[in-house]
Amino acid sequence: MAIKNLSSMDWLRYIYDFESALAEFTGAPYVVTTDRCTHAMELCLRYQKPERVSIPRHTYLSIPQTLLKLGISWDWTDDEWQYEHPIGGTTVWDSARLFKPKMYVPGRRQCISFGLNKPLEMGIGGAILLDSQEEYDLFSKQRSDGRDLRVAPWESAGSFPLGYHYWMRPEDCRQGIDRLANGQYRMHDEYYYPDLSKLVIG
């Protein structure tokens, strides 16, 4: 994903360089970075538009909160998981705790996290691993208010898909490039989530 004609916008190269480095590491044909893993999953769910899904009762709170926001119903499952789990009924995977070479599985939209206590820990950030160029083109615009960040001035694009302010900061992407190059990542230890089915959500 080469960046051309950026001149004074050279800092943008860190976003695309980090995505390229992640693609090479994970084996995903395309990668779209976001400001957090939850927003990565939100973009994927908005695209797929399921009416009802299934999720483990032991998972992080942002998953059912996102489903509520999108008007998606869900069923709880007793599935146990360690590093990733599917959003049942979709091709979206919560892979927030998985990070290893060639981890990408074709046909999935795998969403990873760079948050606190995650394998490639930077405190914030996430990404979508996918194999569709069409979806890559759409998600990479949607995460930045509908803009293609490589187009300047941005208004010259003329038209913009529905977008969200979900893009990962270039300085965080630069940190990610350095950490990945230096092997500063690990597989996450087992982590316990409470039983969300026993809580009042929404």
Side-chain angles (χ1 to χ4, degrees):
M1 260 170 266
I3 307 303
K4 300 178 180 179
N5 304 319
L6 287 180
S7 59
S8 64
M9 299 168 66
D10 251 4
W11 54 272
L12 277 176
R13 78 178 190 272
Y14 295 124
I15 294 175
Y16 297 95
D17 285 354
F18 186 37
E19 291 176 347
S20 294
L22 287 169
E24 182 176 356
F25 179 86
T26 64
Y30 301 97
V31 175
V32 177
T33 51
T34 57
D35 60 344
R36 46 189 39 86
C37 181
T38 297
H39 287 160
M41 286 187 280
E42 179 186 332
L43 291 179
C44 293
L45 289 167
R46 285 183 181 276
Y47 180 81
Q48 196 159 357
K49 298 182 176 68
E51 294 183 1
R52 193 173 194 89
V53 301
S54 61
I55 57 174
R57 63 180 73 244
H58 294 279
T59 189
Y60 185 56
L61 183 60
S62 71
I63 306 301
Q65 292 284 25
T66 297
L67 297 176
L68 278 174
K69 179 168 67 172
L70 299 178
I72 300 171
S73 302
W74 73 88
D75 298 304
W76 298 113
T77 73
D78 293 319
D79 295 346
E80 296 184 4
W81 62 282
Q82 187 173 9
Y83 299 120
E84 63 176 352
H85 70 79
I87 307 298
T90 76
T91 59
V92 183
W93 280 69
D94 177 357
S95 301
R97 297 193 171 277
L98 181 67
F99 194 73
K100 63 181 182 180
K102 308 307 175 188
M103 62 178 278
Y104 181 68
V105 178
R108 291 182 182 176
R109 301 178 180 106
Q110 287 173 262
C111 299
I112 59 177
S113 174
F114 312 121
L116 294 174
N117 300 315
K118 298 304 191 304
L120 184 62
E121 181 177 353
M122 294 186 286
I124 197 168
I128 307 168
L129 313 181
L130 67 164
D131 56 16
S132 165
Q133 182 175 354
E134 178 181 353
E135 292 175 23
Y136 166 78
D137 291 339
L138 176 62
F139 293 154
S140 62
K141 290 178 181 177
Q142 286 188 315
R143 57 91 186 269
S144 49
D145 306 306
R147 295 171 50 196
D148 182 337
L149 293 172
R150 295 164 291 192
V151 174
W154 62 263
E155 63 269 25
S156 65
S159 63
F160 307 88
L162 179 63
Y164 308 89
H165 204 70
Y166 290 172
W167 55 304
M168 191 172 178
R169 300 186 312 168
E171 54 265 46
D172 292 328
C173 290
R174 181 177 184 179
Q175 180 187 174
I177 293 168
D178 292 341
R179 286 180 176 271
L180 195 55
N182 293 326
Q184 293 179 281
Y185 61 87
R186 57 186 170 77
M187 283 300 292
H188 197 276
D189 298 329
E190 290 188 28
Y191 190 88
Y192 173 78
Y193 287 106
D195 185 346
L196 299 188
S197 69
K198 296 180 179 179
L199 307 179
V200 179
I201 302 173

